[in-house]
Amino acid sequence: MSDIYQFRRGTAPLLISIPHLGSQIPDAQRAQMTPVGLESGDTDWHLDTLYRYAEAMGASILGARYSRYVVDLNRPPNDESLYPGQTKTGLCPTQTFRGDALYLNDAVLTDAERAHRLQTYWQPYHAKLRDELDRIKAEHGTVLLWEAHSIASVLPRLFEGKLPDLNIGTADGAACAPDILAAVEDGLRDCSAYTWAVNGRFKGGYITRHYGAPADNVHAIQLEMCQSTYMDETHPYGYRADLADKVIPVVEGLVRAALDRTAARQR
């Protein structure tokens, strides 16, 4: 048991990573935050519930416990921009996605504080992620890393208009083999109920880009879902079973298509 992440080991060549699942904020940090910051509003709410079906698929599932407002596990440790020219949300953000201040005084984010958060929260998650990818690959010869994310459907500070419902990212094809991505795209084309994009506004974050290595039989795919497909996008961010029950089979089909194609490459 880890205080930093929750983890369930599976039996299939599939690891589902949910780095923005957590909403916990350490007490020392909470004392420095604004009321809106304390809501941890940019959490990828309820994805552990949405992906619960994956346990039956034999997936290993790794999810963060702490908020991205502590440290963003899907950003590079040197905090370089993943989308040059776009608004940068940062390794240790100081604003919400809507531009609201997280801290009463940003001066609390000293270099020493950033280094502490990187060592205390970022590094253990990535060490576990690396270890599990290595274990699965050693056992199966190949591994699919599925990066599970969600975001509010309308965020003018980050993108124009409404985001497509389902956004697949593979670092413009660098993070997974073309046939695996093609299997996912086939599943998207078969689904008329939701809008979708591949390597559009979201191409995959640090985890997808850093760990995806198709030449080494590690295939990474990120799915960024609009939260409007399964939950209320305003506080208190309630889960909507009436919506989720419709999108879950679609997401399951995408994951299964990618997994089947990944496993077939080693047969």
Side-chain angles (χ1 to χ4, degrees), residues 49-240:
T49 300
L50 195 81
Y51 279 88
R52 188 167 292 161
Y53 67 83
E55 295 181 10
M57 296 173 61
S60 295
I61 304 175
L62 175 65
R65 296 187 185 277
Y66 282 87
S67 172
R68 70 191 304 159
Y69 293 168
V70 180
V71 66
D72 193 328
L73 302 175
N74 202 31
R75 296 296 178 270
N78 64 1
D79 203 18
E80 66 183 356
S81 176
L82 293 174
Y83 295 96
Q86 303 278 0
T87 299
K88 179 183 172 185
T89 56
L91 181 68
C92 295
T94 59
Q95 294 179 303
T96 70
F97 286 169
R98 291 175 171 82
D100 299 316
L102 293 178
Y103 294 95
L104 301 172
N105 183 351
D106 288 350
V108 300
L109 270 179
T110 62
D111 289 345
E113 175 63 17
R114 289 186 175 91
H116 165 72
R117 295 185 191 183
L118 193 69
Q119 179 178 11
T120 304
Y121 304 100
W122 192 97
Q123 290 181 353
Y125 189 92
H126 283 266
K128 185 64 177 178
L129 180 59
R130 178 78 272 170
D131 286 349
E132 187 61 13
L133 287 173
D134 290 346
R135 182 197 68 81
I136 293 173
K137 184 185 169 187
E139 181 175 339
H140 295 277
T142 188
V143 55
L144 172 65
L145 171 60
W146 188 274
E147 269 288 290
H149 293 263
S150 70
I151 193 169
S153 58
V154 178
L155 287 170
R157 181 170 171 261
L158 300 185
F159 48 80
E160 295 182 1
K162 180 187 178 297
L163 193 68
D165 296 320
L166 305 173
N167 300 268
I168 294 291
T170 63
D172 285 327
C176 82
D179 59 316
I180 298 175
L181 176 57
V184 173
E185 289 180 300
D186 286 345
L188 289 167
R189 291 190 191 98
D190 289 341
C191 175
S192 60
Y194 300 98
T195 56
W196 55 275
V198 175
N199 289 311
R201 171 61 180 86
F202 292 96
K203 302 177 185 294
Y206 174 76
I207 293 175
T208 300
R209 303 182 196 202
H210 179 73
Y211 292 99
D216 198 31
N217 294 316
V218 180
H219 305 277
I221 298 176
Q222 176 178 294
L223 171 58
E224 185 82 69
M225 303 175 59
C226 279
Q227 292 179 336
S228 58
T229 63
Y230 73 94
M231 59 170 276
D232 293 328
E233 294 189 341
T234 56
H235 190 266
Y237 311 110
Y239 184 76
R240 291 279 303 277

Side-chain angles (χ1 to χ4, degrees), residues 36-53:
V36 70
L38 292 174
E39 292 178 357
S40 192
D42 296 318
T43 294
D44 294 7
W45 300 102
H46 310 297
L47 286 188
D48 50 347
T49 300
L50 195 81
Y51 279 88
R52 188 167 292 161
Y53 67 83

